[in-house]
Amino acid sequence: MATTTVTNAPAPKTNRLGLQVLDYRGGKTTLCAGCGHNSISERIIDAMYEMGVQPERLMKLSGIGCSSKSPAYFMGRSFSFNSVHGRMPSVATGALLSNHTMMALGVSGDGDTASIGMGQFVHLLRRNLPMIYIIEDNGVYGLTKGQFSATADVGSKLKTGVINDLPPIDTCSLAIQLGATFVGRSFSGDKKQLLAMLKAAIAHKGTVMLDVISPCVTFNDHEGSTKSYKYMQEHEEAIAEVGFVPSFEDIAVDYDPGTTYNVTMHDGSHLRLRKLHEGYNPTDRVTAVTQLMQSHATGEVLTGVFYVNTEKPTFIDQLNLVDAPLGTLPQERTRPAKAVLDEIMSKHR
Amino acid sequence: MATGDAVLSMTSVPIAQPGSEMQQGTATTRIVNDFSIQVATVNGSGSQSANSILLKSLFGMGIPVSGKNLFPSNIAGLPTWYTIRASKDGYVARKKDIDILVALNAETAKEDILSLHPGAAAIYEASLDLKQYREDVSCYPVPFDKLTAAVCPESKLRKLVRNMVYVGVVAKLLEMDVTEVERAVRNQFAKKQKAADLNWSAVNAGYEYAGETLTKHDPYCLERMNATAGKIIIDGNDAAAVGCMFAGVTVVTWYPITPSSSVVENLIDLMKRYRVEPDGKATFAIVQAEDELAAVGMVLGAGWAGARSMTATSGPGISLMAEFAGLGYFAEIPGVIFDVQRTGPSTGMPTRTSQADILSIAFISHGDTKHVMLLPGSVKECYEFAGAAFDLTERLQTPVFVLSDLDLGMNNWMSEPFDYPEKPLDRGKVLTAEDLTRLGGFARYKDVDGDAIPYRTLPGTDHPLAAYFTRGSGHNDKALYTEKPNEYQEIMERLASKFETARTLVPAPVVVQTGKSEVGLIGFGSSDFAIVECRDQLKNEYGLETDYLRLRAYPFSPAVHEYIASHERVYVIEQNRDAQMLSLLKLDSPAAEITKLHSVLHFNGLPVDARSVTEAVVVQEGL
Ligand SMILES: Cc1ncc(C[n+]2csc(CCOP(=O)(O)OP(=O)(O)O)c2C)c(N)n1
Ligand code: SF4
Ligand SMILES: [Mg+2]
């Protein structure tokens, strides 16, 4: 416009939709400073921004816990449903059935998933529902002040001195066995790996299950904890280096097929997994589970993408739904004609 | 009753000659189109088709009829009873007395025949020799196995075909119109010509045997009427399924449980047939969930995202849905939940009927919650209230429960055919992207229209101001997080006002009021059939005129209170132990009304019958 004053400020950086990072932010976090969950929110913002996801096309779903609160702190322009403890999978399933054209991101905690929510979690995996399911895993119930969760390692110690003596549930092994088609583990402090995994997750069609170790600075970050920042810095071991080349970035990146798996994702982007561990094979479920079990024995925390399958049909594919969202189909498509009622009535004569 | 006399005079009827038409009682002793038949068999013996053929034959003869299956929680081996009632007056409730017994279960046969009133009739497997127990019952021994073997060479099929033999015997003894019986057989096996022929020959074997060998000496018989023309026969669960399909349901979730499973099983058949588009794609999703918690979670997720979503369950499932029901109430999310009520928990009586989930559903969940309940009282209302439930749940943005019961849901009832819905679907207050542009945004939980119902947006609405954050109790009218006392209280008060709006929108009660009677009856759901008959008994036998209000929903319409206020004594009739509906009425009524309320309860697992209600009212009225 003619009256516009010219400023010298550089144009703000935008993504392929012309949106700024700002458009991907949410409310101010109310979690503890230093909580791993906050870093995960940051990486989600980065990944969504860099992938150019339209915020209005995303549904955020969560259960109950500090972790499950976090959807309030990213992507404020996306629809969000903070549901009940352990039952987010069913809510996500319903929401996607109503509108399968949306992207869905579920945020849960280790308590929310591996204890109260185990029943729904395993069935979500089994259905290969197309969504990203993140466990923000701190080994404790943060919101109820630090009790052990079912992902706590044997020998891990609470501040009160209580030692966990029950074996942990490995949500990644479980997810691989039960049918999730993109399974990985990361660490809230490993920015690069987590970002690459999240971007690949956005490109995937099917259930993405990411267990992200996310230290609870208030209740489980002390000496003796196996989910502390220090423990992770000392014991994290990447099974492969995760690289991601989005479909819209037309750059040819060289890779060595001898050491690197190249997975072509549903949208044409590429996931490059450079082998760091002997025998690594992300396309084989048995190998993946074996390696996870071996790492438990050595006390290493294996991270990276363990398993990926881009072929398996999703739950939505199997239901063979019409293309338009079911929820907003017009009456003409959902209420059969009077002749149909007449036919049904005549069968009951 | 006339039955005692009838038996005396019948003893003199001469024995029919083989091959001749069977002798009948004299006209004065005949009881026409007004009796009940009970078939006692073993669960899993395949008697369903035979019973259905009997029912349809009577229906085809134009006689008002109802059928009830009294079955155990078992797949095979335990006793089961099927009762058919023919009633020229159109009474379709359970009849307390059994007039004609078909005893095919050796294990219960003695008990079955001992329970008959003098003058009743019994048809039974000849080897059981039941005559020894009852001289005062007309006995008809039939060698079922022998007759079956003669028409059915294949021994594997005999167990099933045997049932058709009793159809033939009953048809002959009751003077049924055989063309109607044949029509019913052919319809039942419409797609299987061979099965139809085999079954029809078994019916004939029974019919001929009865004609040649048995002498009728009971008063019961059937005559053609014209009272079922144009009517249909359907069970409540099937009716509800039809209703859901025409209500445009798109997301259906369930976890199998008797007696609700057939709501969804019927719906699956209907939707596969009528709701798949020419390209083979479905306009619906039906998901068998891992449990009822997941089923209702999916319903709310889908309702939140805009779908007409539903689940069907029974009491145990309702209990599991408690937490989510409260979330639906607080977060204001639509969803329809059918509860086909049965008796209490765990193993034992799950296949028996009751109306005992009233209070638990009215307030299900934690915190200040209350829920809208619809109470269909006929198969037609099962159909219509399915439609009403979806309109209400989307209009009110709160879960809506539809309370049917095993008796209504799983038994066959006559009905007028269902009417095609005239009104378009009411999808409630949903804002589009254009609305948002025009309005400059919205506040999710704000009462804009003064009816306490806010506006919502659906995920996917393409506008930067469309999204909001859904959570349980801690939100203000802009859907922002809050723990402020005044903001919480404001939301709670609006939710209470919304319930008042619901009061004006739910189906109003049906009132039959003469203006002359001091005594009012109140009932709901499947009790209606017995209450209608009970009112005639009170009037004809005791000279007591009564008025009648049938509740059709909670919250109660103002008309309910006007009705209570205008009577001296009001009997609330319900099928549970603790007078749950009466309690709910008390909570809703001023003191002057409360003192007028009296209770009539029926809770033995059997559907309520008119005689029991009449007797309870008579005692309390001191008649
Ligand atoms: C049905 C139910 N039971 C218990 C609780 C209490 N509760 C709230 S959060 C929580 C545990 C959360 O742990 P986790 O999922 O690991 O989340 P974190 O806070 O550690 O991120 C519990 C037990 C609840 N909200 N609902
Ligand atoms: S208590 Fe733990 S999990 Fe919860 S916000 Fe604080 S650091 Fe995070
Ligand atoms: Mg935790």
Side-chain angles (χ1 to χ4, degrees), chain B residues 358-420:
Chain B
I358 310 295
L359 277 179
S360 67
I361 290 183
F363 304 113
I364 197 163
S365 207
H366 50 289
D368 276 320
T369 48
K370 39 190 178 177
H371 298 284
V372 175
M373 302 190 283
L374 304 189
L375 308 164
S378 64
V379 288
K380 194 164 190 223
E381 283 186 350
C382 288
Y383 164 79
E384 289 170 352
F385 285 12
F390 283 104
D391 282 354
L392 283 167
T393 199
E394 292 197 320
R395 169 66 32 195
L396 291 165
Q397 296 176 28
T398 196
V400 169
F401 292 82
V402 184
L403 277 70
S404 168
D405 62 35
L406 183 144
D407 187 23
L408 186 56
M410 287 190 74
N411 287 320
N412 274 308
W413 302 93
M414 289 191 315
S415 171
E416 291 299 326
F418 305 156
D419 304 318
Y420 190 72

Side-chain angles (χ1 to χ4, degrees), chain A residues 30-38 65-67 138 140-143 145 214-220:
Chain A
T30 61
L31 303 180
C32 306
C35 175
H37 303 349
N38 284 331
C66 297
S67 36
N138 52 18
V140 288
Y141 294 180
L143 195 58
K145 297 191 179 288
S214 175
C216 168
V217 291
T218 307
F219 296 111
N220 204 16

Side-chain angles (χ1 to χ4, degrees), chain B residues 118-268:
Chain B
I123 298 161
Y124 51 87
E125 167 58 40
S127 60
L128 293 174
D129 188 23
L130 297 184
K131 179 98 184 143
Q132 56 176 316
Y133 304 116
R134 292 295 295 267
E135 282 298 325
D136 58 348
V137 164
S138 304
C139 286
Y140 304 106
V142 177
F144 283 103
D145 291 334
K146 219 175 87 193
L147 294 173
T148 310
V151 292
C152 184
E154 213 176 316
S155 59
K156 266 205 324 234
L157 294 175
R158 279 184 201 152
K159 192 173 92 174
L160 296 172
V161 170
R162 188 174 184 259
N163 297 309
M164 293 298 154
V165 178
Y166 73 69
V167 172
V169 174
V170 170
K172 184 68 202 175
L173 283 173
L174 298 182
E175 304 163 24
M176 257 162 148
D177 186 335
V178 281
T179 56
E180 290 301 341
V181 184
E182 177 161 15
R183 205 170 68 103
V185 172
R186 303 262 169 225
N187 277 345
Q188 182 82 24
F189 302 100
K191 289 194 191 94
K192 301 169 219 147
Q193 174 73 29
K194 259 174 99 178
D197 291 344
L198 175 63
N199 282 283
W200 178 234
S201 68
V203 172
N204 268 319
Y207 193 85
E208 276 162 24
Y209 175 84
E212 288 162 10
T213 321
L214 302 177
T215 306
K216 183 168 173 78
H217 38 76
D218 68 78
Y220 305 107
C221 55
L222 295 165
E223 277 176 18
R224 200 170 251 292
M225 282 177 71
N226 192 22
T228 65
K231 294 214 159 98
I232 58 164
I233 287 197
I234 192 168
D235 67 49
N237 286 353
D238 201 353
V242 177
C244 292
M245 179 170 75
F246 284 93
V249 67
T250 48
V251 176
V252 183
T253 68
W254 67 306
Y255 187 79
I257 183 168
T258 307
S260 72
S261 298
S262 62
V263 172
V264 179
E265 285 162 343
N266 281 307
L267 196 48
I268 291 171

Side-chain angles (χ1 to χ4, degrees), chain A residues 130-314:
Chain A
M131 72 176 292
I132 302 170
Y133 188 101
I134 298 175
I135 305 173
E136 302 188 342
D137 186 354
N138 52 18
V140 288
Y141 294 180
L143 195 58
T144 51
K145 297 191 179 288
Q147 302 84 357
F148 273 128
S149 82
T151 65
D153 294 300
V154 174
S156 185
K157 195 158 74 181
L158 287 185
K159 271 183 168 170
T160 53
V162 179
I163 292 178
N164 175 48
D165 48 16
L166 290 176
I169 292 172
D170 184 345
T171 51
C172 288
S173 305
L174 202 64
I176 294 167
Q177 287 181 48
L178 291 176
T181 45
F182 187 120
V183 180
R185 175 168 287 133
S186 190
F187 168 42
S188 64
D190 190 340
K191 278 191 182 183
K192 187 164 164 268
Q193 184 198 51
L194 182 54
L195 180 61
M197 276 166 65
L198 284 169
K199 284 160 75 172
I202 291 168
H204 183 71
K205 190 167 158 260
T207 301
V208 177
M209 207 302 286
L210 299 181
D211 179 44
V212 185
I213 309 299
S214 175
C216 168
V217 291
T218 307
F219 296 111
N220 204 16
D221 197 33
H222 47 273
E223 200 57 41
S225 159
T226 59
K227 298 268 194 286
S228 65
Y229 281 112
K230 182 155 174 275
Y231 189 91
M232 281 307 291
Q233 273 140 17
E234 287 166 3
H235 295 82
E236 182 187 0
E237 186 169 317
I239 196 166
E241 192 185 276
V242 184
F244 182 76
V245 186
S247 58
F248 52 85
E249 270 173 27
D250 202 13
I251 16 174
V253 184
D254 281 340
Y255 67 96
D256 170 10
T259 58
T260 302
Y261 281 91
N262 174 47
V263 185
T264 307
M265 308 300 287
H266 180 72
D267 68 348
S269 53
H270 294 277
L271 175 62
R272 302 267 158 78
L273 300 166
R274 192 171 67 84
K275 210 187 286 192
L276 298 176
H277 238 245
E278 201 47 49
Y280 173 68
N281 181 356
T283 64
D284 182 54
R285 302 205 300 172
V286 178
T287 310
V289 173
T290 306
Q291 294 198 322
L292 279 164
M293 292 181 80
Q294 282 166 351
S295 78
H296 293 315
T298 63
E300 297 299 319
V301 182
L302 222 48
T303 61
V305 176
F306 303 130
Y307 178 68
V308 55
N309 175 344
T310 55
E311 307 286 308
K312 194 178 154 187
T314 69

